[in-house]
Structures are given as C-alpha cells and as structure tokens.
Amino acid sequence: MSEVREFQLHDRLAADTIDLGSSRLCEIRLMNERTWPWVVLVPAVAGIREIYELSGEQQQRLMEESSALSRGMMELFSGDKMNVAALGNMVPQLHLHHIVRFEGDPAWPGPVWGKQHPVPYADDELATIRQSLAPVLSLLK
C-alpha cells in the first residue's frame, strides 16, 4: 500500500515568509523583506518540485494565479519590471517568487538574491502591506 503524503510547507519558506492566506491552489506567502514587494506562491500539493509535475489542471491554475498576482502587484506598486522565478536551488519545494522591481533599486538590474541582508518588516509596515495586498490577493480566490 502506498503512503499518501500531505502537503507541508518547507521549513525554510515558513521561516522566511509570512502567511497571507491561500488561493484555490496555493499557499500565499509574503517574503519578510521590505526592500521589494515580494510574494511567493506555493502550490499546496505534496511532493512537487517542478511545475511539470503538477497535473495539467493544476499547471493552468498556477499560471492563472501567478498572472493575476503579477498584474495586481504591478498595478499596486507601479513597478518597472515584474520578476517571476521558480529556482528551487535552496528550497526544493515548488514555489514561485513574484518580485516587483524598480529601476534604481538596490539590486537593479541584477537579481535580488544575495545583494543585501534581508530587511524585515516592522509590525506597522506589515499591517500596511497586508492591507495594501488584500484586494490583489482576493483576485486569486
């Protein structure tokens, strides 16, 4: 008899991000890094490392949620570029980073990884970003 595994968020994602709720497919997480507007979608499917491992329906839903999140974040933050990435080199669990970039930001035009130590949100900033993102996240339901 095969073992059924339940979805569990990777420890590193749990430590580095803040829960913003869930969509029909994904856990929605805010990267605890105030330098960039940065939201991570984690498909709530056990044992998935790559997009192609999702069912066709799940792949389509992930792209719909990612596109809606990207569009909403760009409109909300008036960014110059939306970076979407599913690297998984440090955290093997499938997750998609959505990072609003601005010309002249601390890492522009390069990637954000490793440019500086993370600057976590203060409590009041966290409340503000949650409130700002609420209408965008409602698009993912």
Side-chain angles (χ1 to χ4, degrees):
M1 181 159 71
S2 65
E3 179 183 336
V4 176
R5 296 181 358 191
E6 290 187 29
F7 171 79
Q8 184 174 350
L9 187 66
H10 190 279
D11 290 344
R12 177 88 183 252
L13 287 172
D16 293 347
T17 63
I18 299 160
D19 182 21
L20 293 178
S22 59
S23 66
R24 288 184 11 211
L25 178 65
C26 297
E27 294 294 315
I28 306 168
R29 311 290 299 189
L30 176 68
M31 185 63 72
N32 194 9
E33 163 55 283
R34 65 181 294 279
T35 306
W36 297 277
W38 187 342
V39 175
V40 180
L41 293 180
V42 186
V45 181
I48 299 297
R49 296 171 64 111
E50 307 294 343
I51 293 172
Y52 66 80
E53 295 175 327
L54 296 169
S55 71
E57 182 179 313
Q58 291 168 332
Q59 289 176 36
Q60 181 176 351
R61 183 68 200 164
L62 180 59
M63 290 302 105
E64 290 169 0
E65 291 182 11
S66 177
S67 294
L69 178 60
S70 295
R71 182 175 31 261
M73 288 179 69
M74 285 295 282
E75 290 173 3
L76 177 62
F77 297 107
S78 301
D80 294 311
K81 179 71 175 97
M82 170 56 73
N83 289 174
V84 178
L87 302 175
N89 298 342
M90 299 292 292
V91 176
Q93 182 175 54
L94 177 60
H95 60 289
L96 270 67
H97 296 269
H98 296 75
I99 309 166
V100 178
R101 298 297 305 277
F102 304 93
E103 290 183 20
D105 73 33
W108 186 266
V112 299
W113 287 274
K115 286 294 182 184
Q116 65 183 35
H117 290 289
V119 181
Y121 285 97
D123 289 342
D124 60 330
E125 294 170 321
L126 185 55
T128 300
I129 191 80
R130 281 181 182 274
Q131 185 176 13
S132 296
L133 283 168
V136 174
L137 301 182
S138 71
L139 301 172
L140 308 183
K141 305 296 179 176

